[in-house]
Amino acid sequence: MNLLDDEPQRFGEALGATLWGGTLWELAPGESSPYHWHYGEEECAIALTGRLTLRTPEGEREMAPWDIVWFPRGEKGAHQVRNDGDRPARIVMFSTCSDPEVVVYPDEDKVGVIADWSRDDRSTFRGWVEPR
């Protein structure tokens, strides 16, 4: 797989990973990921191209190509990536795999759940729960 030339895609499973996942993202100018954090998964991001802004609980900072950052489980690992440039930007995300998983989206006051995504013998369950 070529992170600079291939189409954006999920690739962990395709490369044989069972405990890790990977996704190659391409963000259009002005596009961003949702601000979120995970109960069960850790994530790692590597900026590849473009002008990306990283938002965390500590504030915002620009990511240059090949900058790497780690997001631990829990609120300390909350993050969002935004393309503030005028060209598409690429970032690759790696994560541990957790099934079931709970993801909190603080800006939207939403909590998402997903379960059984790793099992072939059951249907995947996805949904939203009410935060307390």
Side-chain angles (χ1 to χ4, degrees):
M1 166 166 207
N2 186 310
L3 296 175
L4 299 176
D5 295 329
D6 285 352
E7 291 296 315
Q9 60 185 289
R10 292 184 182 274
F11 58 82
E13 213 172 90
L15 295 178
T18 58
L19 299 176
W20 284 85
T23 305
L24 175 61
W25 295 94
E26 187 167 278
L27 298 174
E31 188 176 12
S32 65
S33 66
Y35 187 64
H36 68 285
W37 57 271
H38 295 263
Y39 269 93
E41 295 181 0
E42 288 191 337
E43 290 183 296
C44 171
I46 304 172
L48 299 174
T49 64
R51 190 170 148 236
L52 294 164
T53 299
L54 173 66
R55 175 186 168 201
T56 68
E58 286 77 41
E60 293 188 354
R61 71 173 178 89
E62 191 167 317
M63 291 182 73
W66 300 109
D67 280 357
I68 185 170
V69 63
W70 203 268
F71 309 112
R73 296 180 300 174
E75 292 178 62
K76 289 183 179 181
H79 60 281
Q80 176 183 47
V81 179
R82 184 178 67 243
N83 180 358
D84 288 330
D86 57 3
R87 298 185 326 212
R90 285 187 167 222
I91 189 165
V92 63
M93 301 288 294
F94 298 97
S95 70
T96 57
C97 292
S98 180
D99 186 2
E101 176 59 306
V102 178
V103 184
V104 177
Y105 301 89
D107 290 350
E108 301 165 28
D109 199 29
K110 288 186 173 183
V111 178
V113 296
I114 184 169
D116 288 340
W117 62 266
S118 65
R119 295 180 57 158
D120 293 333
D121 63 330
R122 294 171 60 155
S123 297
T124 299
F125 171 82
R126 295 174 192 266
W128 299 101
V129 295
E130 292 293 322
R132 288 185 163 193

